[in-house]
């Protein structure tokens, strides 16, 4: 890829990022030493570093305006039922065998360009032919609530609103939100759910129809401007050509940031654990877009799908609570070849903002000419009530309304029995902390309680909320835990998953529940921007910040054959000499760019280069090895948070890891109190400000290019990603 190929008018994107690291820095320093210096001195930022950082903020102000709308207040929360996706039906062989380009193991059968083949076909590892699914990328609409809304301003006061023809409605006028334009898997949000099983491979044909707009929808000013897509099954153990990662995409296959309109790709998921080791089996994947530079925009626009994966071996975890571990779930095998599992519910959390029609749209993507129809910088009254996104925010994008499975403030009626919930944070940057609470007074709008500004985020509070139940945590990113962990609350970081069992027959004090009781799944982590939390249980809790997200209503008693097991799945043992690998570990530090995080995000001081593996920082052995690992090898990798008061969820593709050290302390036997999940396998490392973790990883079964990156998608899209490879 050349710089010119990315340039759609104005400065090429990566040229601008380099300008932020070099020329932009010089401009910032020059500004700091002239007109900005008195202001910097007044703020105590007269040191070279301080002047530099502050001036770079001024410099970035010329590129974008960090202003966000206040979403209209949803007036009748907790009336829409929680959507629970049914499993997608596979395509019969009699159908896909007649496709013009049917899937298969031969040369050219991996994508529509006919230039790749699957590295490992199912028969090569003793597995049956894959079950085939078809998913189209479609432009459609989505409604987040059926409730009326009241337009409000940042002070919580009634505000004017608009319609698609820019007609103005007086302050105090109640409205319905217009449907938002989405790019969705099969046109939905979340777009599809595939219930998979270990030992039964899956092939998904993803086909790009984003150039088609049969409903003549306004595409707005976010999403991949060339309408490309790249689907990543996070974090399946998958060959590079099916991994949906930008490193592979740029050097092979499409040789572009993604697959463009009219193209398809057949992603093959073997559903076979790394090294064919049962201890490496996982339980909940999700698939999402991974288009280089526009992952956040495409995910925010709707490209989210669910992929629970079950383990039928010895009936261990197959969605049948009468067998194996007896985790909650009643399985129904459908005639179309799919299966559904009752009492086993995925919950995908995403936060949004809705346009107020008066907030100006401006960031450097406009200067690229990426969205010429928007004519930015401009306000967009015609987009009132539709999803608002800013590609290039300083602190990472957070919304002020949370949705679960695409619905704001849903309600779920549960039976009096145990449930399995699979939590996924599909937000761009927001971290959540969940508790189960009761409330006597019920939800009250933050505006009616006198809050304003950032304190309006979440829209409703239960200030009298009291914890009433605990979670039995049974699984994380890397699958089932060795043993369940009883939790009063748990954090959920971007891209991470947590699975819990909740017993709805009794409260934590032993009192039985009764039909009609109401419980609120509540977020207690205040996070006003993408930098980090402002309040949480671990750090300066705010006793009034209790945001109800899901209303749970207790229903009838039904049979329950499930258990909370005392033991789940043992982790593969670490080698007894793992500490001998410490001197030769690979070290990767995530950090802001030299002109400030407003302009770029880096790893080891470098922006993402899809054509070259990144060198490690100098390790204790004095070496700076490339991020290349031999197939079948194991190693220690260290991830460092470069500071600045930011948090970073760092995701490494291809195979999950185990944290062995956090902040220089061995956590293999006694985990860090703030990160009790360190005893498990994970695919995304949660880095608090200034933290470092050392991970033990394997590199098995495949060769080729992969990536690691921050899963704050604003950071990833602005260069906080690195290329690495598995070599033969």
């Amino acid at each position: 890829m050349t710089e010119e190929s990315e340039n759609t008018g104005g400065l090429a994107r990566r040229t601008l990022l380099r300008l932020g690291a070099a020329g932009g820095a010089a401009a910032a320093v020059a500004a700091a030493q002239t007109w900005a210096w008195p202001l910097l001195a007044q703020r105590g930022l007269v040191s070279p570093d301080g002047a530099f950082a502050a001036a770079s903020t001024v410099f970035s102000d010329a590129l974008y305006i960090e202003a966000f709308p206040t979403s209209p207040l949803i007036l009748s929360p907790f009336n829409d039922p929680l959507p629970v996706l049914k499993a997608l039906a596979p395509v019969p062989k009699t159908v896909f065998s007649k496709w013009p380009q049917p899937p298969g193991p031969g040369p050219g059968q991996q994508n529509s360009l006919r230039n790749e083949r699957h590295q490992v076909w199912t028969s090569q590892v003793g597995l049956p032919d894959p079950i085939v699914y078809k998913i189209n990328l479609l432009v459609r609409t989505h409604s987040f609530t059926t409730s009326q809304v009241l337009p409000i301003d940042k002070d919580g006061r009634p505000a004017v609103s608009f319609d698609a023809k820019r007609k103005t409605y007086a302050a105090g006028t109640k409205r319905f939100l217009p449907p938002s334009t989405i790019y969705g898997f099969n046109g939905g949000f979340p777009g599809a759910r595939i219930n998979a099983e270990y030992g039964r491979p899956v092939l998904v044909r993803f086909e790009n129809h984003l150039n088609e707009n049969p409903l003549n929808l306004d595409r707005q000013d976010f999403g991949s401007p060339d309408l490309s897509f790249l689907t990543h099954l996070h974090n399946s153990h998958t060959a590079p050509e099916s991994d949906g990662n930008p490193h592979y995409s740029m050097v092979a296959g499409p040789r572009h940031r993604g697959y463009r309109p009219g193209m398809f790709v057949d992603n093959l998921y073997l559903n076979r654990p790394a090294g064919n080791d049962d201890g490496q089996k996982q339980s909940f994947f999700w698939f999402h877009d991974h288009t280089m530079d526009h992952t956040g925009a495409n995910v925010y626009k709707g490209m989210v799908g669910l992929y629970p994966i079950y383990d039928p071996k010895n009936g261990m975890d197959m969605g049948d609570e009468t067998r194996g571990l007896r985790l909650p779930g009643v399985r129904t095998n459908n005639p179309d070849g799919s299966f559904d599992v009752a009492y086993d519910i995925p919950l995908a959390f995403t936060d949004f903002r809705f346009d107020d029609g008066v907030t100006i749209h401006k960031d450097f993507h406009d200067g690229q000419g990426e969205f010429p129809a928007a004519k930015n910088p401009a306000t967009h009254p015609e987009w009132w009530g539709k999803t608002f996104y800013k590609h290039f925010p300083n602190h990472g994008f957070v919304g002020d309304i949370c949705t679960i499975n695409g619905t704001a403030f849903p309600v779920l009626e549960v039976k009096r029995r145990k449930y399995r919930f699979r939590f996924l944070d599909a937000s761009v940057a927001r971290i959540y902390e969940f508790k189960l609470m009761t409330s006597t007074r019920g939800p009250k709008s933050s505006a009616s309680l006198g809050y304003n500004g950032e304190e309006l985020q979440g829209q409703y509070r239960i200030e009298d909320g009291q914890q009433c139940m605990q979670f039995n945590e049974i699984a994380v990113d890397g699958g089932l835990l060795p043993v369940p962990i009883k939790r009063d609350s748990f954090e959920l970081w971007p891209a991470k998953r947590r699975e819990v069992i909740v017993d709805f027959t009794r409260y934590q004090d032993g009192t039985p529940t009764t039909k009609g009781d109401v419980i609120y799944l509540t977020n207690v982590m205040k996070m006003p921007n993408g930098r980090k939390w402002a309040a949480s249980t671990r750090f300066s809790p705010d006793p009034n910040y209790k945001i109800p997200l899901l209303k749970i209503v207790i229903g009838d008693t039904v049979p329950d054959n499930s258990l909370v097991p005392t033991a789940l799945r043992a982790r593969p043992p670490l080698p007894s000499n793992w500490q001998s690998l410490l001197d030769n570990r690979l070290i990767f530090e995530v950090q802001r760019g030299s002109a400030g995080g407003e302009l770029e995000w880096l790893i080891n001081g470098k922006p993402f280069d899809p054509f070259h593996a990144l060198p490690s920082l100098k390790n204790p052995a004095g070496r700076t090895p490339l991020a290349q690992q031999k197939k079948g090898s194991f190693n220690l990798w260290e991830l460092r948070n470069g500071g600045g008061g930011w948090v970073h969820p760092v995701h490494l593709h291809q195979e999950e890891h185990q944290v062995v050290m956090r902040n220089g302390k061995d956590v293999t036997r006694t985990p860090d109190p703030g990160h009790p999940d360190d005893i498990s396998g994970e695919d995304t490392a949660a880095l608090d400000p200034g933290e470092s973790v050392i991970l033990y990883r394997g590199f098995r079964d495949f060769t080729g290019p992969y990536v690691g990156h921050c899963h704050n998608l604003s950071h990833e899209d602005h260069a906080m990603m690195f290329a690495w490879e598995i070599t033969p």
Side-chain angles (χ1 to χ4, degrees), residues 402-645:
C402 177
T403 73
I404 308 177
N405 295 351
T407 296
F409 302 117
V411 61
L412 173 66
E413 182 178 315
V414 299
K415 305 300 183 183
R416 290 191 69 249
R417 54 153 295 145
K418 292 184 286 297
Y419 278 69
R420 178 179 187 171
F421 293 108
R422 302 173 188 249
F423 286 73
L424 159 68
D425 185 351
S427 297
V428 172
R430 183 175 293 281
I431 305 172
Y432 303 84
E433 183 184 355
F434 296 112
K435 287 189 175 184
L436 292 168
M437 292 186 156
T438 55
S439 170
T440 301
R441 296 194 294 270
K444 305 294 182 186
S445 73
S446 299
S448 70
L449 294 170
Y451 293 102
N452 57 40
E454 293 173 344
E455 295 285 347
L456 291 175
Q457 289 188 22
Q459 294 210 335
Y460 283 85
R461 300 195 181 202
I462 48 172
E463 290 192 316
D464 67 334
Q466 298 292 323
Q467 182 188 329
C468 64
M469 290 182 176
Q470 292 178 304
F471 303 101
N472 288 288
E473 184 179 333
I474 59 168
V476 293
D477 316 355
L480 295 173
L481 293 165
V483 295
I485 304 174
K486 195 170 287 291
R487 307 288 297 267
D488 292 325
S489 69
F490 65 93
E491 295 178 7
L492 193 68
W493 290 47
K496 294 181 79 65
R497 286 88 65 214
R498 293 288 180 267
E499 298 179 46
V500 301
I501 295 174
V502 179
D503 186 349
F504 289 111
T505 64
R506 63 188 64 253
Y507 295 104
Q508 66 187 49
D509 64 0
T511 305
T513 58
T514 59
K515 185 175 181 178
D517 287 357
V518 172
I519 299 162
Y520 292 98
L521 178 67
T522 305
N523 177 35
V524 297
M525 179 174 283
K526 182 190 296 185
M527 191 168 178
N529 57 52
R531 179 188 290 270
K532 67 170 187 175
W533 52 81
S536 70
T537 297
R538 287 198 295 141
F539 299 95
S540 305
D542 180 345
N544 294 319
Y545 194 82
K546 301 168 187 174
I547 310 299
L549 302 182
L550 173 66
K551 180 179 180 179
I552 301 169
V553 181
I554 305 294
D556 294 323
T557 301
V558 296
D560 182 2
N561 294 302
S562 69
L563 300 173
V564 179
T566 56
L568 292 159
R569 192 191 298 280
R571 287 288 304 159
L574 291 167
S576 59
N577 66 338
W578 67 263
Q579 292 181 332
S580 67
L581 301 174
L582 283 169
D583 284 353
N584 282 301
R585 65 186 182 269
L586 274 65
I587 302 172
F588 305 100
E589 182 171 301
V590 294
Q591 58 198 187
R592 290 190 293 169
S594 57
E598 298 83 3
L599 295 176
E600 64 178 344
W601 295 91
L602 307 176
I603 298 181
N604 289 358
K606 298 182 181 297
F608 175 51
D609 176 358
F611 301 105
H612 301 97
L614 182 70
S616 164
L617 295 181
K618 184 177 290 187
N619 62 28
R623 300 175 59 242
T624 58
L626 291 176
Q628 294 175 331
Q629 300 283 169
K630 291 282 188 181
K631 179 183 175 182
S633 68
F634 295 81
N635 203 359
L636 296 179
W637 284 18
E638 181 178 358
L639 302 176
R640 294 176 180 171
N641 186 338

Side-chain angles (χ1 to χ4, degrees), residues 22 255 479:
R255 291 181 171 82

